[in-house]
Amino acid sequence: MEGLEQNAAGQSAEAHSAVDTEDAATSRLELVFGCEGVRRLAASKVVVFGVGGVGSSCVEALARGGVGRLVIVDGDAVQRSNINRQALAFHSTVGGRKVEVMRAMVADINPDAQVTALDRFVLPDEVAALMDEVAADADYVVDAVDTVGTKLAIAQYADQHGLRLVSSMGAANKLRPDCFRFADIYATSNDPLCRVVRKEARKRGIKRLEVLYSTEEPARLPVFDDAPEEETAAEARHAGEGGARQEAPQGRRRPTLGTASYAPPIMGQMIAGRVIRGLLGIEG
């Protein structure tokens, strides 16, 4: 009987060992990227501005993808209206600071990841100093903020310093994920936010800016007649992910835009994929 018990214990230990070996957090990543690719991702640093609908899903995918060093920048708190689209928004996290909620989420995904969480809104004239501080050794920068001026300041800094950057354009009022495309800002069309950024980028001498945008033709919403009135086209042209802190004409506070539950997360996942491929040298 004792021998049988020892044999059973040995088989159990072997089975447990096999599970540990084959079921590591990075095991499926290694099958795609190889062990060296996973090591490269673990050593990479990505800076993400904005952890709303686009940014939070992007950070989640980067963490699950094994990116080892993350800097996340956002000055907002989780609100109930975020629950429809933001990876960090749950009834249990409402009221929490977004960067702290995101930091805890990353730690739960990858305890070895190094996360620098900056709880602050970044004004355009603050971008250069902050980038000097946190992005000098960055392998990639992601812009998922809503404010046009800050977007342009990030783009200008990245262009001048040779940093790899991908910038999210508008997800608000978008219904067709099949229309999302990566492109240089000067090759975009149909997107109202791209039009504004493109014009201002030319003025600033920005040579190149990779963006994720939608080719979906702007359509009058809502789909059903009982939804609140849509904002004006002049206000909509400043539309980003759907927050209320974007710039508005004559400095007015822009009304909040509608956002489908799936649009910003899909953009965030797509950007994370673009970044991971870039970090691994997988182009196209």
Side-chain angles (χ1 to χ4, degrees):
M1 180 65 72
E2 182 179 348
L4 291 174
E5 289 175 350
Q6 289 177 343
N7 186 45
Q11 290 177 342
S12 176
E14 289 177 4
H16 183 69
S17 176
V19 168
D20 285 348
T21 301
E22 298 173 5
D23 198 36
T26 59
S27 59
R28 298 303 176 93
L29 295 173
E30 290 169 359
L31 292 174
V32 179
F33 303 137
C35 293
E36 176 56 33
V38 170
R39 283 193 289 268
R40 186 182 300 183
L41 291 172
S44 296
K45 178 179 179 179
V46 179
V47 179
V48 180
F49 285 89
V51 288
V54 175
S56 62
S57 286
C58 179
V59 172
E60 178 189 7
L62 292 173
R64 293 189 188 280
V67 173
R69 295 188 294 159
L70 293 163
V71 178
I72 54 176
V73 187
D74 197 301
D76 211 348
V78 181
Q79 302 175 36
R80 286 183 176 83
S81 59
N82 300 152
I83 292 173
N84 81 307
R85 67 195 183 282
Q86 298 189 10
L88 48 68
F90 303 88
H91 286 285
S92 61
T93 61
V94 168
R97 305 306 299 175
K98 285 186 177 179
V99 291
E100 294 303 328
V101 175
M102 193 83 251
R103 190 213 300 262
M105 189 172 179
V106 172
D108 205 15
I109 293 168
N110 180 9
D112 294 327
Q114 300 174 27
V115 182
T116 300
L118 302 179
D119 188 357
R120 58 181 289 188
F121 290 113
V122 183
L123 299 175
D125 60 2
E126 299 171 338
V127 166
L130 182 59
M131 293 286 273
D132 284 342
E133 179 184 344
V134 303
D137 61 342
D139 298 290
Y140 232 110
V141 178
V142 173
D143 156 35
V145 301
D146 289 331
T147 308
V148 173
T150 301
K151 277 187 176 299
L152 288 162
I154 294 170
Q156 188 167 22
Y157 184 99
D159 189 56
Q160 292 173 348
H161 291 78
L163 286 174
R164 289 187 288 184
L165 166 70
V166 59
S167 181
S168 170
M169 296 290 107
N173 287 359
K174 303 297 185 183
L175 301 179
R176 293 186 53 189
D178 56 303
C179 291
F180 292 140
R181 300 285 187 276
F182 287 103
D184 187 86
I185 187 64
Y186 299 115
T188 57
S189 60
N190 292 336
D191 187 283
L193 179 58
C194 285
R195 189 178 306 118
V196 175
V197 173
R198 192 167 59 240
K199 179 179 178 182
E200 294 301 318
R202 283 198 183 97
K203 290 181 181 179
R204 297 174 184 230
I206 296 171
K207 297 183 291 296
R208 183 180 182 277
L209 171 59
E210 183 177 24
V211 301
L212 177 62
Y213 81 109
S214 175
T215 61
E216 183 179 353
E217 289 282 354
R220 284 200 59 82
L221 298 175
V223 175
F224 298 103
D225 294 335
D226 60 348
E229 185 178 351
E230 184 186 10
E231 63 185 355
T232 66
E235 291 159 340
R237 69 179 184 172
H238 296 268
E241 183 264 314
R245 288 189 174 88
Q246 299 168 43
E247 296 169 344
Q250 290 78 50
R252 291 186 289 110
R253 188 176 176 85
R254 187 189 61 77
T256 303
L257 295 173
T259 317
S261 62
Y262 51 84
I266 289 173
M267 291 188 79
Q269 294 275 337
M270 289 179 69
I271 290 173
R274 178 68 188 93
V275 169
I276 288 172
R277 294 195 306 276
L279 293 173
L280 295 174
I282 302 171
E283 303 299 334

